[in-house]
Coordinates of all heavy atoms in Angstrom, one line a residue:
M1 N 10.2 -7.1 14.2 CA 10.1 -6.1 13.2 C 9.1 -6.5 12.1 O 9.1 -7.7 11.7 CB 11.4 -5.9 12.5 CG 12.1 -4.7 13.1 SD 12.8 -3.3 12.0 CE 13.9 -4.2 10.9
A2 N 8.3 -5.6 11.6 CA 7.3 -5.9 10.7 C 7.9 -6.2 9.4 O 8.9 -5.7 9.0 CB 6.4 -4.7 10.6
K3 N 7.1 -7.1 8.7 CA 7.6 -7.5 7.3 C 6.5 -6.9 6.4 O 5.4 -6.9 6.7 CB 7.6 -8.9 7.2 CG 8.7 -9.6 8.0 CD 10.0 -9.7 7.4 CE 11.0 -10.3 8.2 NZ 12.3 -9.5 8.1
Y4 N 7.0 -6.7 5.2 CA 6.0 -6.2 4.2 C 6.2 -6.9 2.9 O 7.4 -7.5 2.6 CB 6.2 -4.8 3.8 CG 5.9 -3.8 5.0 CD1 6.8 -3.6 6.0 CD2 4.7 -3.2 5.0 CE1 6.5 -2.8 7.1 CE2 4.3 -2.4 6.0 CZ 5.3 -2.2 7.1 OH 4.9 -1.3 8.2
K5 N 5.1 -7.1 2.2 CA 5.2 -7.8 0.9 C 5.0 -6.9 -0.3 O 4.0 -6.2 -0.3 CB 4.2 -8.9 0.9 CG 4.2 -9.7 -0.5 CD 3.4 -11.0 -0.4 CE 2.0 -10.7 -0.6 NZ 1.1 -11.9 -0.7
I6 N 6.0 -6.9 -1.4 CA 5.7 -6.1 -2.5 C 5.2 -7.0 -3.5 O 5.7 -8.2 -3.7 CB 7.1 -5.5 -3.0 CG1 7.8 -4.8 -1.9 CG2 6.9 -4.8 -4.3 CD1 9.4 -4.4 -2.4
T7 N 4.1 -6.7 -4.2 CA 3.6 -7.4 -5.2 C 3.6 -6.6 -6.5 O 3.2 -5.3 -6.6 CB 2.1 -7.8 -5.1 OG1 2.1 -8.5 -3.7 CG2 1.6 -8.8 -6.1
F8 N 4.2 -7.1 -7.6 CA 4.5 -6.3 -8.8 C 3.9 -7.1 -10.0 O 4.1 -8.2 -10.2 CB 6.0 -6.3 -9.1 CG 6.5 -5.6 -10.3 CD1 5.7 -4.6 -10.8 CD2 7.4 -6.1 -11.1 CE1 6.2 -4.1 -12.1 CE2 7.9 -5.7 -12.3 CZ 7.2 -4.5 -12.8
D9 N 2.9 -6.3 -10.6 CA 2.2 -6.7 -11.7 C 2.9 -6.3 -13.0 O 2.7 -5.2 -13.5 CB 0.8 -6.2 -11.8 CG -0.1 -6.8 -13.0 OD1 0.5 -7.4 -13.8 OD2 -1.2 -6.3 -13.0
R10 N 3.8 -7.3 -13.5 CA 4.8 -6.8 -14.5 C 4.0 -6.8 -15.8 O 4.4 -6.0 -16.8 CB 5.9 -7.9 -14.7 CG 7.1 -7.4 -15.3 CD 8.2 -8.3 -15.5 NE 9.5 -7.6 -15.8 CZ 9.8 -7.6 -17.2 NH1 8.9 -8.0 -18.1 NH2 10.8 -7.0 -17.6
E11 N 2.9 -7.4 -15.9 CA 2.1 -7.2 -17.2 C 1.5 -5.9 -17.3 O 1.5 -5.3 -18.4 CB 0.9 -8.3 -17.1 CG 1.3 -9.8 -17.1 CD 1.8 -10.2 -18.5 OE1 1.1 -9.7 -19.5 OE2 2.9 -10.8 -18.7
A12 N 1.2 -5.3 -16.3 CA 0.7 -3.9 -16.3 C 1.7 -2.8 -16.5 O 1.3 -1.7 -16.8 CB 0.0 -3.7 -14.9
C13 N 2.9 -3.1 -16.1 CA 4.0 -2.3 -16.2 C 4.2 -1.6 -17.7 O 4.2 -2.3 -18.6 CB 5.3 -2.7 -15.7 SG 6.8 -1.7 -16.0
I14 N 4.3 -0.2 -17.7 CA 4.4 0.5 -19.0 C 5.7 0.9 -19.2 O 6.0 1.7 -20.1 CB 3.3 1.5 -19.3 CG1 3.3 2.5 -18.1 CG2 1.9 0.9 -19.4 CD1 2.5 3.8 -18.4
G15 N 6.7 0.7 -18.3 CA 8.1 1.1 -18.4 C 8.2 2.6 -18.1 O 9.2 3.3 -18.8
A16 N 7.5 3.2 -17.4 CA 7.6 4.6 -17.1 C 8.8 5.0 -16.3 O 9.3 6.2 -16.4 CB 6.3 5.2 -16.3
I17 N 9.5 3.9 -15.6 CA 10.6 4.0 -14.9 C 10.6 4.9 -13.7 O 11.5 5.2 -13.0 CB 11.8 4.5 -15.9 CG1 11.9 3.8 -17.3 CG2 13.2 4.2 -15.2 CD1 12.1 2.2 -17.1
A18 N 9.4 5.5 -13.4 CA 9.4 6.2 -12.2 C 9.8 5.6 -11.0 O 10.5 6.2 -10.0 CB 7.9 6.9 -12.1
C19 N 9.4 4.3 -10.8 CA 9.9 3.5 -9.7 C 11.3 3.5 -9.5 O 11.8 3.5 -8.3 CB 9.2 2.1 -9.8 SG 9.6 1.2 -11.3
V20 N 12.1 3.3 -10.5 CA 13.5 3.2 -10.4 C 14.2 4.4 -10.1 O 15.0 4.5 -9.3 CB 14.1 2.8 -11.9 CG1 15.6 2.7 -11.7 CG2 13.4 1.5 -12.4
S21 N 13.5 5.6 -10.5 CA 14.1 6.9 -10.3 C 14.0 7.3 -8.7 O 14.9 7.8 -8.1 CB 13.7 8.0 -11.1 OG 12.2 8.2 -11.0
V22 N 13.0 6.7 -8.0 CA 12.8 7.0 -6.6 C 13.5 5.9 -5.8 O 13.8 6.2 -4.6 CB 11.4 7.1 -6.2 CG1 10.8 8.4 -6.8 CG2 10.6 6.0 -6.4
N23 N 13.7 4.8 -6.4 CA 14.2 3.7 -5.6 C 15.0 2.6 -6.5 O 14.6 1.5 -6.7 CB 12.9 2.9 -5.1 CG 13.4 1.7 -4.1 OD1 14.5 1.6 -3.9 ND2 12.3 1.0 -3.8
P24 N 16.2 3.0 -6.8 CA 17.1 2.1 -7.6 C 17.6 0.9 -6.9 O 18.2 0.1 -7.5 CB 18.3 3.1 -8.1 CG 18.2 4.2 -7.2 CD 16.8 4.3 -6.7
K25 N 17.5 1.0 -5.6 CA 18.0 -0.1 -4.8 C 17.2 -1.5 -5.1 O 17.7 -2.5 -5.0 CB 17.8 0.2 -3.2 CG 18.4 -1.0 -2.3 CD 18.3 -0.5 -0.8 CE 18.5 -1.6 0.1 NZ 18.3 -1.3 1.4
Y26 N 16.0 -1.2 -5.4 CA 15.0 -2.5 -5.4 C 14.6 -2.7 -7.0 O 14.3 -3.8 -7.4 CB 13.8 -2.4 -4.7 CG 14.1 -2.9 -3.2 CD1 14.6 -2.0 -2.3 CD2 13.8 -4.1 -2.8 CE1 14.8 -2.3 -1.0 CE2 14.0 -4.6 -1.7 CZ 14.5 -3.8 -0.8 OH 14.8 -4.2 0.6
W27 N 14.5 -1.6 -7.7 CA 14.0 -1.5 -9.2 C 15.0 -1.3 -10.2 O 15.8 -0.4 -10.1 CB 12.8 -0.6 -9.2 CG 11.8 -0.8 -8.2 CD1 11.7 -0.4 -7.0 CD2 10.7 -1.8 -8.4 NE1 10.5 -0.9 -6.3 CE2 9.8 -1.7 -7.2 CE3 10.1 -2.5 -9.4 CZ2 8.7 -2.5 -7.0 CZ3 9.1 -3.3 -9.3 CH2 8.5 -3.3 -8.1
L28 N 15.0 -2.1 -11.2 CA 15.9 -2.2 -12.2 C 15.3 -2.0 -13.6 O 14.3 -2.7 -13.8 CB 16.7 -3.6 -12.3 CG 17.8 -3.9 -11.4 CD1 18.3 -5.3 -11.6 CD2 19.0 -3.0 -11.4
T29 N 15.9 -1.2 -14.4 CA 15.4 -1.3 -15.8 C 15.8 -2.6 -16.5 O 16.8 -3.2 -16.3 CB 15.8 -0.2 -16.6 OG1 17.3 0.0 -16.6 CG2 15.4 1.1 -16.1
A30 N 14.8 -3.1 -17.3 CA 15.1 -4.4 -17.9 C 15.1 -4.2 -19.4 O 14.8 -3.2 -20.0 CB 13.9 -5.4 -17.6
E31 N 15.7 -5.2 -20.2 CA 15.9 -5.0 -21.6 C 14.7 -4.9 -22.5 O 14.7 -4.3 -23.5 CB 16.8 -6.3 -22.2 CG 18.3 -6.2 -21.7 CD 19.0 -7.4 -22.4 OE1 18.5 -8.2 -23.1 OE2 20.3 -7.5 -21.9
D32 N 13.6 -5.4 -22.0 CA 12.4 -5.2 -22.7 C 11.6 -3.9 -22.5 O 10.5 -3.7 -22.8 CB 11.4 -6.4 -22.4 CG 10.8 -6.4 -20.9 OD1 11.5 -5.5 -20.2 OD2 10.1 -7.3 -20.6
G33 N 12.3 -2.9 -21.7 CA 11.7 -1.7 -21.6 C 11.0 -1.6 -20.3 O 10.4 -0.5 -19.9
K34 N 10.6 -2.7 -19.6 CA 9.9 -2.7 -18.3 C 10.9 -2.7 -17.3 O 12.1 -2.3 -17.5 CB 9.0 -3.9 -18.3 CG 7.9 -3.9 -19.4 CD 6.9 -5.0 -19.2 CE 5.8 -4.8 -20.1 NZ 4.6 -5.5 -19.6
V35 N 10.5 -3.0 -16.0 CA 11.4 -3.1 -14.8 C 11.5 -4.4 -14.2 O 10.4 -5.1 -14.4 CB 11.1 -2.0 -13.9 CG1 11.4 -0.7 -14.5 CG2 9.9 -2.1 -13.4
D36 N 12.4 -4.7 -13.6 CA 12.3 -5.9 -12.6 C 12.5 -5.6 -11.1 O 13.2 -4.5 -10.8 CB 13.6 -6.9 -13.0 CG 13.4 -7.4 -14.5 OD1 12.1 -8.0 -14.6 OD2 14.2 -7.6 -15.1
L37 N 11.9 -6.3 -10.3 CA 12.0 -6.2 -8.7 C 13.1 -7.0 -8.4 O 13.0 -8.2 -8.6 CB 10.8 -6.5 -8.2 CG 10.8 -6.5 -6.7 CD1 11.2 -5.2 -6.1 CD2 9.3 -6.8 -6.2
K38 N 14.3 -6.5 -8.0 CA 15.4 -7.4 -7.6 C 15.0 -8.4 -6.5 O 14.5 -8.1 -5.5 CB 16.4 -6.6 -7.0 CG 17.2 -5.7 -7.9 CD 18.3 -4.9 -7.3 CE 18.6 -3.6 -8.0 NZ 19.7 -2.8 -7.4
G39 N 15.4 -9.7 -6.8 CA 15.2 -10.8 -5.9 C 13.7 -11.3 -5.8 O 13.5 -12.2 -5.1
A40 N 12.8 -10.8 -6.7 CA 11.6 -11.2 -6.5 C 11.2 -12.6 -7.2 O 12.0 -13.0 -8.1 CB 10.5 -10.1 -7.3
K41 N 10.2 -13.3 -6.7 CA 10.0 -14.6 -7.3 C 8.4 -14.6 -7.9 O 7.7 -13.8 -7.2 CB 9.9 -15.6 -6.2 CG 11.2 -16.0 -5.7 CD 11.3 -17.3 -5.2 CE 12.8 -17.7 -4.9 NZ 13.4 -17.2 -3.8
K42 N 8.0 -15.2 -8.9 CA 6.8 -15.2 -9.4 C 5.9 -16.0 -8.7 O 6.2 -17.1 -8.5 CB 6.9 -15.8 -10.9 CG 6.0 -15.1 -12.0 CD 6.4 -15.5 -13.3 CE 5.6 -14.7 -14.4 NZ 6.1 -15.1 -15.8
N43 N 4.7 -15.6 -8.4 CA 3.7 -16.3 -7.8 C 2.7 -17.0 -8.6 O 2.9 -16.9 -9.9 CB 2.9 -15.5 -6.7 CG 2.1 -14.4 -7.5 OD1 1.7 -14.5 -8.5 ND2 1.6 -13.4 -6.7
K44 N 1.7 -17.8 -8.2 CA 0.9 -18.5 -9.1 C 0.0 -17.6 -9.9 O -0.5 -18.2 -10.9 CB 0.1 -19.5 -8.2 CG -0.8 -18.9 -7.2 CD -1.6 -20.0 -6.5 CE -2.5 -19.5 -5.3 NZ -2.9 -18.1 -5.1
D45 N -0.2 -16.4 -9.6 CA -1.0 -15.4 -10.3 C -0.2 -14.8 -11.5 O -0.7 -13.9 -12.3 CB -1.7 -14.5 -9.5 CG -2.5 -15.1 -8.5 OD1 -3.2 -16.2 -8.7 OD2 -2.6 -14.5 -7.4
G46 N 1.2 -15.1 -11.6 CA 2.0 -14.5 -12.6 C 2.5 -13.1 -12.1 O 3.1 -12.4 -12.9
K47 N 2.3 -12.7 -10.7 CA 2.8 -11.5 -10.3 C 4.2 -11.9 -9.6 O 4.4 -13.0 -9.2 CB 1.8 -10.8 -9.5 CG 0.7 -10.4 -10.3 CD -0.4 -9.6 -9.5 CE -1.6 -9.2 -10.4 NZ -2.8 -9.0 -9.7
W48 N 4.9 -10.8 -9.4 CA 6.2 -10.9 -8.8 C 6.0 -10.5 -7.3 O 5.5 -9.4 -7.0 CB 7.4 -10.2 -9.5 CG 7.6 -10.7 -10.8 CD1 6.8 -10.5 -12.0 CD2 8.6 -11.7 -11.2 NE1 7.4 -11.3 -13.0 CE2 8.4 -12.0 -12.6 CE3 9.4 -12.4 -10.6 CZ2 9.2 -12.9 -13.3 CZ3 10.3 -13.3 -11.2 CH2 10.1 -13.5 -12.6
E49 N 6.7 -11.2 -6.4 CA 6.6 -10.9 -5.0 C 8.1 -11.0 -4.3 O 8.8 -11.7 -4.6 CB 5.8 -12.1 -4.3 CG 4.2 -12.0 -4.5 CD 3.4 -13.0 -3.8 OE1 4.1 -13.9 -3.1 OE2 2.2 -13.0 -3.9
L50 N 8.0 -10.0 -3.3 CA 9.3 -9.9 -2.5 C 8.9 -9.6 -1.1 O 8.1 -8.5 -1.0 CB 10.2 -9.0 -3.1 CG 11.5 -8.9 -2.4 CD1 12.5 -10.2 -2.6 CD2 12.3 -7.6 -3.0
I51 N 9.4 -10.2 -0.1 CA 9.2 -9.8 1.3 C 10.4 -8.9 1.6 O 11.6 -9.2 1.4 CB 9.2 -11.1 2.2 CG1 8.0 -11.9 1.8 CG2 9.1 -10.6 3.7 CD1 6.6 -11.5 2.0
I52 N 10.0 -7.8 2.4 CA 11.1 -6.9 2.8 C 10.8 -6.4 4.2 O 9.8 -6.7 4.9 CB 11.0 -5.5 2.0 CG1 9.6 -4.8 2.0 CG2 11.4 -5.7 0.5 CD1 9.6 -3.4 1.6
G53 N 11.9 -5.9 4.8 CA 11.9 -5.5 6.2 C 11.2 -4.1 6.3 O 11.2 -3.2 5.4
E54 N 10.9 -3.7 7.4 CA 10.3 -2.3 7.9 C 11.2 -1.2 7.3 O 10.7 -0.2 6.8 CB 10.0 -2.2 9.3 CG 9.1 -1.2 9.6 CD 8.7 -1.3 11.1 OE1 9.2 -2.2 11.8 OE2 7.8 -0.6 11.5
E55 N 12.4 -1.5 7.3 CA 13.4 -0.5 7.0 C 13.4 0.1 5.6 O 13.8 1.1 5.2 CB 14.8 -0.9 7.3 CG 15.5 -2.0 6.6 CD 15.0 -3.4 7.0 OE1 14.1 -3.5 7.9 OE2 15.5 -4.4 6.5
D56 N 12.9 -0.9 4.8 CA 12.7 -0.5 3.3 C 11.3 -0.4 2.8 O 11.1 -0.3 1.7 CB 13.3 -1.7 2.5 CG 14.9 -1.7 2.6 OD1 15.4 -0.6 2.8 OD2 15.4 -2.8 2.5
F57 N 10.5 -0.2 3.8 CA 9.0 0.1 3.5 C 8.7 1.4 2.8 O 8.2 1.5 1.8 CB 8.1 0.1 4.8 CG 6.7 0.5 4.5 CD1 5.8 -0.2 3.7 CD2 6.3 1.7 5.1 CE1 4.5 0.3 3.6 CE2 5.1 2.3 4.9 CZ 4.2 1.5 4.2
V58 N 9.4 2.3 3.3 CA 9.0 3.7 2.8 C 9.5 3.9 1.3 O 8.7 4.4 0.5 CB 9.7 4.9 3.7 CG1 9.5 6.2 3.0 CG2 8.9 4.9 5.0
I59 N 10.7 3.6 0.9 CA 11.1 3.7 -0.3 C 10.4 2.9 -1.3 O 10.1 3.3 -2.4 CB 12.6 3.3 -0.6 CG1 13.0 1.9 0.0 CG2 13.6 4.5 0.0 CD1 14.4 1.5 -0.4
N60 N 9.9 1.7 -0.9 CA 9.0 0.8 -1.8 C 7.5 1.4 -1.9 O 6.9 1.3 -2.9 CB 9.1 -0.6 -1.4 CG 10.4 -1.1 -2.0 OD1 10.7 -1.2 -3.0 ND2 11.3 -1.5 -1.0
R61 N 7.1 1.9 -0.8 CA 5.8 2.6 -0.8 C 5.9 3.8 -1.8 O 4.9 4.1 -2.7 CB 5.4 3.1 0.5 CG 4.0 3.7 0.7 CD 3.9 4.6 1.7 NE 4.9 5.7 1.7 CZ 5.2 6.6 2.6 NH1 4.8 6.5 3.9 NH2 6.2 7.4 2.5
D62 N 7.0 4.5 -1.8 CA 7.2 5.7 -2.7 C 7.1 5.1 -4.2 O 6.5 5.8 -5.1 CB 8.4 6.5 -2.4 CG 8.5 7.2 -1.1 OD1 7.4 7.3 -0.6 OD2 9.5 7.6 -0.8
S63 N 7.8 4.0 -4.4 CA 7.7 3.5 -5.8 C 6.3 3.2 -6.2 O 5.9 3.5 -7.4 CB 8.6 2.2 -6.0 OG 10.0 2.6 -5.8
A64 N 5.5 2.6 -5.3 CA 4.1 2.2 -5.5 C 3.4 3.5 -5.8 O 2.5 3.5 -6.7 CB 3.6 1.6 -4.4
E65 N 3.7 4.6 -5.0 CA 2.8 5.8 -5.3 C 3.1 6.6 -6.5 O 2.3 7.2 -7.1 CB 3.0 6.7 -4.1 CG 2.4 6.3 -2.9 CD 2.6 7.2 -1.7 OE1 3.5 8.1 -1.7 OE2 2.0 6.9 -0.5
V66 N 4.3 6.4 -7.1 CA 4.8 7.1 -8.4 C 4.4 6.3 -9.6 O 4.4 6.8 -10.6 CB 6.2 7.6 -8.4 CG1 6.5 8.6 -7.3 CG2 7.1 6.5 -8.3
C67 N 4.0 5.1 -9.4 CA 3.7 4.2 -10.5 C 2.4 4.7 -11.3 O 1.4 4.7 -10.5 CB 3.6 2.7 -10.1 SG 3.1 1.8 -11.7
P68 N 2.4 5.2 -12.5 CA 1.2 5.7 -13.0 C 0.1 4.6 -13.3 O -1.1 4.9 -13.6 CB 1.6 6.3 -14.3 CG 2.8 5.6 -14.7 CD 3.5 5.2 -13.4
V69 N 0.5 3.4 -13.2 CA -0.6 2.4 -13.6 C -0.9 1.4 -12.4 O -1.5 0.3 -12.5 CB -0.2 1.4 -14.9 CG1 -0.2 2.3 -16.1 CG2 1.2 0.8 -14.6
L70 N -0.3 1.8 -11.2 CA -0.5 1.1 -10.0 C -0.1 -0.5 -10.2 O -0.8 -1.3 -9.7 CB -2.0 1.2 -9.6 CG -2.6 2.5 -9.5 CD1 -4.0 2.5 -9.2 CD2 -1.9 3.4 -8.6
A71 N 1.0 -0.6 -10.7 CA 1.5 -1.9 -10.8 C 2.2 -2.5 -9.7 O 2.6 -3.8 -9.6 CB 2.4 -2.1 -12.1
I72 N 2.5 -1.6 -8.8 CA 3.1 -2.0 -7.5 C 2.4 -1.8 -6.2 O 1.7 -0.9 -6.1 CB 4.5 -1.2 -7.3 CG1 5.3 -1.2 -8.5 CG2 5.2 -1.6 -5.9 CD1 6.4 -0.1 -8.4
K73 N 2.2 -2.9 -5.4 CA 1.6 -2.9 -4.2 C 2.5 -3.3 -2.9 O 3.3 -4.1 -3.2 CB 0.2 -3.8 -4.2 CG -0.7 -3.4 -5.2 CD -2.1 -4.2 -4.9 CE -3.2 -3.5 -5.7 NZ -2.9 -3.2 -6.9
V74 N 2.3 -2.5 -1.9 CA 3.1 -2.9 -0.7 C 2.2 -3.0 0.4 O 1.5 -2.1 0.7 CB 4.3 -1.8 -0.4 CG1 5.1 -2.3 0.9 CG2 5.1 -1.5 -1.6
E75 N 2.2 -4.2 1.1 CA 1.2 -4.4 2.3 C 2.0 -5.1 3.3 O 2.9 -6.0 3.1 CB 0.0 -5.2 1.7 CG 0.4 -6.6 1.1 CD -0.8 -7.1 0.3 OE1 -1.9 -6.6 0.2 OE2 -0.5 -8.2 -0.4
K76 N 1.3 -4.8 4.5 CA 2.0 -5.5 5.7 C 1.7 -6.9 5.8 O 0.6 -7.4 5.4 CB 1.6 -4.8 7.0 CG 2.4 -5.1 8.2 CD 1.9 -4.1 9.4 CE 2.8 -4.4 10.4 NZ 2.3 -3.5 11.6
V77 N 2.7 -7.8 6.1 CA 2.4 -9.2 6.2 C 2.1 -9.5 7.7 O 2.9 -9.1 8.7 CB 3.8 -10.1 5.8 CG1 3.5 -11.5 6.1 CG2 4.0 -9.7 4.5
E78 N 1.0 -10.1 8.0 CA 0.6 -10.5 9.4 C 1.6 -11.6 9.8 O 1.7 -12.6 9.0 CB -0.9 -10.8 9.3 CG -1.8 -9.8 8.9 CD -1.8 -8.5 9.8 OE1 -1.3 -8.7 11.0 OE2 -1.9 -7.3 9.3
E79 N 2.1 -11.5 11.0 CA 2.8 -12.6 11.5 C 2.1 -13.4 12.6 O 1.1 -13.1 13.1 CB 4.1 -11.8 12.2 CG 4.9 -11.2 11.1 CD 6.2 -10.6 11.7 OE1 6.9 -11.2 12.5 OE2 6.4 -9.4 11.3
Ligands
SF4_1 S1 6.6 3.1 -12.2 FE1 5.2 1.4 -12.6 S2 4.8 1.4 -15.0 FE2 6.6 2.7 -14.4 S3 8.4 1.2 -14.7 FE3 7.8 1.1 -12.4 S4 6.3 -0.4 -12.3 FE4 6.5 0.0 -14.6

C-alpha cells in the first residue's frame, strides 16, 4: 500500500481551524490557538511530519485543500 507524508508548517498556521473541522482524527486545536497534527515529529526545517497510509490520504488531502494559508502538504512517499 502506498504511503503518504503530511508536512505541516505550524509557523504559517493562522488557526483558522478548517483542517480540524474536516478531519478531527488527525488535527487538534492547541492552546495557543493554532493546531497540532497528532503524532507528528518536527523535522530539521522546523516543520511537522507524519507518515500515513493510503486509507487516510483523502481526509488529509481535504485538510490541505481547505487550509487558507497552504500550511499543510500531503505527498506520496516513493518506496
Ligand atoms: S486550516 Fe491551516 S491555518 Fe487553519 S488551523 Fe488548519 S493548518 Fe492552521
Side-chain angles (χ1 to χ4, degrees):
M1 266 225 307
K3 298 275 184 210
Y4 292 82
K5 181 169 76 177
I6 305 172
T7 306
F8 172 41
D9 182 356
R10 202 173 188 280
E11 292 291 311
C13 173
I14 57 168
I17 314 298
C19 54
V20 180
S21 56
V22 298
N23 181 6
K25 179 178 171 184
Y26 278 85
W27 298 90
L28 283 177
T29 53
E31 285 183 5
D32 64 359
K34 296 192 178 197
V35 296
D36 289 318
L37 173 58
K38 291 183 203 176
K41 294 209 166 72
K42 210 171 194 177
N43 70 16
K44 61 179 176 13
D45 300 325
K47 296 185 178 157
W48 294 83
E49 290 184 352
L50 182 69
I51 301 294
I52 57 167
E54 197 165 6
E55 67 280 5
D56 288 330
F57 167 68
V58 171
I59 52 170
N60 284 294
R61 184 206 57 198
D62 289 349
S63 289
E65 286 180 354
V66 296
C67 177
V69 293
L70 307 177
I72 303 169
K73 289 193 172 46
V74 184
E75 58 198 348
K76 195 168 185 181
V77 176
E78 298 303 330
E79 294 179 47

